Amino acid sequence: MMKNDIRWDKAMYTTDTYNVEGLNGHAYAENGISVETSSPLSDEPGTNPEQLLGMSLCTCLVGTMEVILKEHHINEQAKAHAKISYVKGKGRYEFLVHAQVCVPGQTLPQTRALVSEVENRCCVSQLLSGSDNYSIEAVLDWE
């Protein structure tokens, strides 16, 4: 069981998140935010799993890039964009995830080098990186 892993005892931060109402309900973090949830295929108000995954990935990419830029003495604010699609795969439903990272003031080769670093250090990117459904690229601006 993952809970018996000793790394849990050495965690720098842990949170508990919940959804006890289903897709059309609410999800919340203990002592944190609560968001209304809904299916991406309905017109009901609320946030869906695709949006939450995209925001998590973008936030982690930008946060990790802030550390990398500081290490390289680059005084710029990185930006991240994620496109998440819900598709019918081989006998199951899947997410397609494509992230773009931009660092103003940097050339495309410089940005590619920085994105290579962030891709290997961002925790959410690391979780997704084993999937053929995940890609990340350096861009000068949104395409």
Side-chain angles (χ1 to χ4, degrees):
M1 180 177 163
M2 192 72 170
K3 196 76 166 158
N4 292 331
D5 189 324
I6 63 168
R7 293 176 293 176
W8 287 99
D9 298 330
K10 298 177 181 181
M12 293 182 287
Y13 174 77
T14 300
T15 188
D16 291 296
T17 59
Y18 304 88
N19 181 319
V20 296
E21 299 173 358
L23 191 55
N24 293 310
H26 291 85
Y28 64 94
E30 196 170 275
N31 300 316
I33 66 167
S34 175
V35 294
E36 185 175 10
T37 58
S38 67
S39 169
L41 305 177
S42 77
D43 292 332
E44 297 295 318
T47 300
N48 58 58
E50 293 82 353
Q51 293 168 333
L52 292 167
L53 175 60
M55 288 185 284
S56 178
L57 176 59
C58 286
T59 302
C60 192
L61 287 169
V62 169
T64 304
M65 185 62 85
E66 287 174 352
V67 172
I68 292 168
L69 292 175
K70 187 175 183 179
E71 290 171 357
H72 289 278
H73 308 289
I74 299 171
N75 191 23
E76 295 289 349
Q77 177 60 58
K79 301 184 287 185
H81 165 254
K83 183 174 190 148
I84 317 292
S85 292
Y86 180 57
V87 299
K88 177 85 167 138
K90 298 174 185 148
R92 63 183 180 178
Y93 292 99
E94 302 175 337
F95 289 154
L96 297 179
V97 180
H98 180 69
Q100 295 179 319
V101 179
C102 172
V103 180
Q106 302 299 296
T107 66
L108 193 53
Q110 290 169 324
T111 304
R112 283 187 183 125
L114 292 166
V115 168
S116 179
E117 284 188 60
V118 82
E119 182 177 9
N120 295 315
R121 290 172 62 178
C122 167
C123 297
V124 178
S125 183
Q126 289 175 41
L127 280 172
L128 297 172
S129 66
S131 171
D132 291 336
N133 292 359
Y134 174 62
S135 59
I136 183 171
E137 73 175 319
V139 296
L140 293 179
D141 208 347
W142 308 137
E143 297 177 3

